[in-house]
PDB file of all heavy atoms in Angstrom:
ATOM      1  N   ALA A 283     -34.486  34.940   7.042  1.00  0.00           N
ATOM      2  CA  ALA A 283     -34.530  34.802   8.499  1.00  0.00           C
ATOM      3  C   ALA A 283     -34.330  33.302   8.918  1.00  0.00           C
ATOM      4  O   ALA A 283     -33.730  33.013   9.939  1.00  0.00           O
ATOM      5  CB  ALA A 283     -35.889  35.266   9.032  1.00  0.00           C
ATOM      6  N   ASP A 284     -34.917  32.388   8.135  1.00  0.00           N
ATOM      7  CA  ASP A 284     -34.687  30.970   8.422  1.00  0.00           C
ATOM      8  C   ASP A 284     -33.164  30.595   8.220  1.00  0.00           C
ATOM      9  O   ASP A 284     -32.677  29.875   9.075  1.00  0.00           O
ATOM     10  CB  ASP A 284     -35.546  30.111   7.449  1.00  0.00           C
ATOM     11  CG  ASP A 284     -37.048  30.247   7.664  1.00  0.00           C
ATOM     12  OD1 ASP A 284     -37.410  30.083   8.859  1.00  0.00           O
ATOM     13  OD2 ASP A 284     -37.724  30.650   6.772  1.00  0.00           O
ATOM     14  N   VAL A 285     -32.602  31.111   7.131  1.00  0.00           N
ATOM     15  CA  VAL A 285     -31.136  30.832   6.878  1.00  0.00           C
ATOM     16  C   VAL A 285     -30.289  31.266   8.109  1.00  0.00           C
ATOM     17  O   VAL A 285     -29.474  30.505   8.605  1.00  0.00           O
ATOM     18  CB  VAL A 285     -30.739  31.475   5.585  1.00  0.00           C
ATOM     19  CG1 VAL A 285     -29.182  31.556   5.523  1.00  0.00           C
ATOM     20  CG2 VAL A 285     -31.309  30.871   4.329  1.00  0.00           C
ATOM     21  N   GLU A 286     -30.706  32.401   8.554  1.00  0.00           N
ATOM     22  CA  GLU A 286     -29.897  32.984   9.771  1.00  0.00           C
ATOM     23  C   GLU A 286     -30.052  32.081  10.937  1.00  0.00           C
ATOM     24  O   GLU A 286     -29.105  31.770  11.613  1.00  0.00           O
ATOM     25  CB  GLU A 286     -30.463  34.394   9.962  1.00  0.00           C
ATOM     26  CG  GLU A 286     -29.463  35.191  10.837  1.00  0.00           C
ATOM     27  CD  GLU A 286     -30.016  36.599  11.008  1.00  0.00           C
ATOM     28  OE1 GLU A 286     -30.824  37.099  10.265  1.00  0.00           O
ATOM     29  OE2 GLU A 286     -29.622  37.167  12.072  1.00  0.00           O
ATOM     30  N   ALA A 287     -31.258  31.592  11.212  1.00  0.00           N
ATOM     31  CA  ALA A 287     -31.531  30.790  12.360  1.00  0.00           C
ATOM     32  C   ALA A 287     -30.820  29.433  12.268  1.00  0.00           C
ATOM     33  O   ALA A 287     -30.359  28.948  13.283  1.00  0.00           O
ATOM     34  CB  ALA A 287     -33.123  30.573  12.521  1.00  0.00           C
ATOM     35  N   LEU A 288     -30.856  29.012  10.985  1.00  0.00           N
ATOM     36  CA  LEU A 288     -30.180  27.590  10.832  1.00  0.00           C
ATOM     37  C   LEU A 288     -28.676  27.786  11.031  1.00  0.00           C
ATOM     38  O   LEU A 288     -28.019  26.865  11.604  1.00  0.00           O
ATOM     39  CB  LEU A 288     -30.435  27.106   9.307  1.00  0.00           C
ATOM     40  CG  LEU A 288     -31.901  26.723   9.056  1.00  0.00           C
ATOM     41  CD1 LEU A 288     -32.162  26.561   7.638  1.00  0.00           C
ATOM     42  CD2 LEU A 288     -32.322  25.468   9.835  1.00  0.00           C
ATOM     43  N   ARG A 289     -28.131  28.867  10.485  1.00  0.00           N
ATOM     44  CA  ARG A 289     -26.683  29.041  10.765  1.00  0.00           C
ATOM     45  C   ARG A 289     -26.344  29.112  12.251  1.00  0.00           C
ATOM     46  O   ARG A 289     -25.417  28.475  12.790  1.00  0.00           O
ATOM     47  CB  ARG A 289     -26.163  30.279  10.109  1.00  0.00           C
ATOM     48  CG  ARG A 289     -26.193  30.231   8.579  1.00  0.00           C
ATOM     49  CD  ARG A 289     -25.548  31.493   8.016  1.00  0.00           C
ATOM     50  NE  ARG A 289     -25.743  31.530   6.482  1.00  0.00           N
ATOM     51  CZ  ARG A 289     -25.219  32.514   5.753  1.00  0.00           C
ATOM     52  NH1 ARG A 289     -24.594  33.469   6.330  1.00  0.00           N
ATOM     53  NH2 ARG A 289     -25.347  32.371   4.432  1.00  0.00           N
ATOM     54  N   ALA A 290     -27.123  29.907  12.978  1.00  0.00           N
ATOM     55  CA  ALA A 290     -26.978  30.033  14.409  1.00  0.00           C
ATOM     56  C   ALA A 290     -27.117  28.657  15.081  1.00  0.00           C
ATOM     57  O   ALA A 290     -26.338  28.378  15.978  1.00  0.00           O
ATOM     58  CB  ALA A 290     -27.896  31.063  14.916  1.00  0.00           C
ATOM     59  N   ALA A 291     -28.126  27.895  14.646  1.00  0.00           N
ATOM     60  CA  ALA A 291     -28.296  26.597  15.307  1.00  0.00           C
ATOM     61  C   ALA A 291     -27.175  25.661  15.046  1.00  0.00           C
ATOM     62  O   ALA A 291     -26.812  24.824  15.834  1.00  0.00           O
ATOM     63  CB  ALA A 291     -29.642  26.050  14.841  1.00  0.00           C
ATOM     64  N   LEU A 292     -26.634  25.685  13.835  1.00  0.00           N
ATOM     65  CA  LEU A 292     -25.516  24.866  13.523  1.00  0.00           C
ATOM     66  C   LEU A 292     -24.302  25.262  14.365  1.00  0.00           C
ATOM     67  O   LEU A 292     -23.526  24.477  14.827  1.00  0.00           O
ATOM     68  CB  LEU A 292     -25.180  24.879  12.038  1.00  0.00           C
ATOM     69  CG  LEU A 292     -24.049  23.932  11.572  1.00  0.00           C
ATOM     70  CD1 LEU A 292     -24.406  22.424  11.809  1.00  0.00           C
ATOM     71  CD2 LEU A 292     -23.715  24.171  10.075  1.00  0.00           C
ATOM     72  N   ALA A 293     -24.156  26.566  14.516  1.00  0.00           N
ATOM     73  CA  ALA A 293     -23.025  27.104  15.271  1.00  0.00           C
ATOM     74  C   ALA A 293     -23.144  26.719  16.820  1.00  0.00           C
ATOM     75  O   ALA A 293     -22.092  26.332  17.385  1.00  0.00           O
ATOM     76  CB  ALA A 293     -22.982  28.593  15.155  1.00  0.00           C
ATOM     77  N   ASP A 294     -24.354  26.800  17.378  1.00  0.00           N
ATOM     78  CA  ASP A 294     -24.377  26.515  18.780  1.00  0.00           C
ATOM     79  C   ASP A 294     -24.667  24.959  19.038  1.00  0.00           C
ATOM     80  O   ASP A 294     -24.818  24.596  20.213  1.00  0.00           O
ATOM     81  CB  ASP A 294     -25.466  27.393  19.421  1.00  0.00           C
ATOM     82  CG  ASP A 294     -26.883  26.972  19.110  1.00  0.00           C
ATOM     83  OD1 ASP A 294     -27.162  25.964  18.591  1.00  0.00           O
ATOM     84  OD2 ASP A 294     -27.764  27.853  19.319  1.00  0.00           O
TER      85      ASP A 294
END
Side-chain angles (χ1 to χ4, degrees):
Chain A
D284 293 305
V285 167
E286 200 179 332
L288 293 168
R289 289 183 186 185
L292 184 64
D294 71 18

